[in-house]
Amino acid sequence: MTHGMRADSHTPRPDGGGGLRDTAARYALLPLRIFLGVTFVYAGLDKLTDSAFLKDSGAGSIGDMMRAVRDSSALPALVDMALESPVGFGYAIAFGELAVGIGTLLGLLTRIAALGGALISLSLWLTVSWAAEPYYYGNDLPYLMAWTPLILAGAPLLSVDAALRAPRRRGTL
């Protein structure tokens, strides 16, 4: 008796048809996109509306937080660079998170937004949460890994990117 590989794999059909598995595969990244988008929009807005955060010093300020993590970070030089203008750096992070979150939610330039999210998460992991022990107690590393599928796949469905690609596929653009 010969055992071969099944030829009827569960690869989604190009025409969008298929069963429940095909539908689930096509929409698999949507929950991740919504979670990361909402989280980054919230994080950006939270920073922009927190009067204590966007200050050079004082309880809850970006400046005091950076000074506190400077010696325990993987890249103290990165923290030193941010400490040259902690309020400006705080605004850059907040607006960056907001842009990444909105781009991810809308599916607009999704791969670029995801790369931005990954870079923000990487910089926070190497500075703020680097000293977390064991390493998996810090939340920035899982965020960094969560951005990877969106960098690779983008937003193939329910996105501005997909809407812009559709006319080109039909040959009307």
Side-chain angles (χ1 to χ4, degrees), residues 78-161:
L78 185 62
V79 179
D80 289 340
M81 186 172 61
L83 278 169
E84 291 178 21
S85 177
V87 175
F89 181 74
Y91 275 109
I93 289 290
F95 284 120
E97 287 173 337
L98 198 55
V100 162
I102 291 169
T104 302
L105 283 173
L106 295 177
L108 177 62
L109 302 172
T110 308
R111 286 187 169 113
I112 294 170
L115 180 60
L119 291 173
I120 290 170
S121 298
L122 176 64
S123 68
L124 293 174
W125 176 55
L126 292 173
T127 55
V128 178
S129 63
W130 182 257
E133 198 170 308
Y135 76 92
Y136 50 83
Y137 279 177
N139 63 347
D140 296 309
L141 182 58
Y143 278 104
L144 172 61
M145 294 299 111
W147 285 111
T148 305
L150 293 177
I151 293 170
L152 296 173
L157 292 169
L158 300 176
S159 67
V160 174
D161 292 344

Side-chain angles (χ1 to χ4, degrees), residues 21-46:
R21 277 189 201 187
D22 291 343
T23 301
R26 283 193 308 276
Y27 287 90
L29 292 178
L30 191 57
L32 182 62
R33 214 176 98 206
I34 292 168
F35 171 75
L36 290 171
V38 167
T39 300
F40 269 60
V41 166
Y42 178 80
L45 290 174
D46 188 45

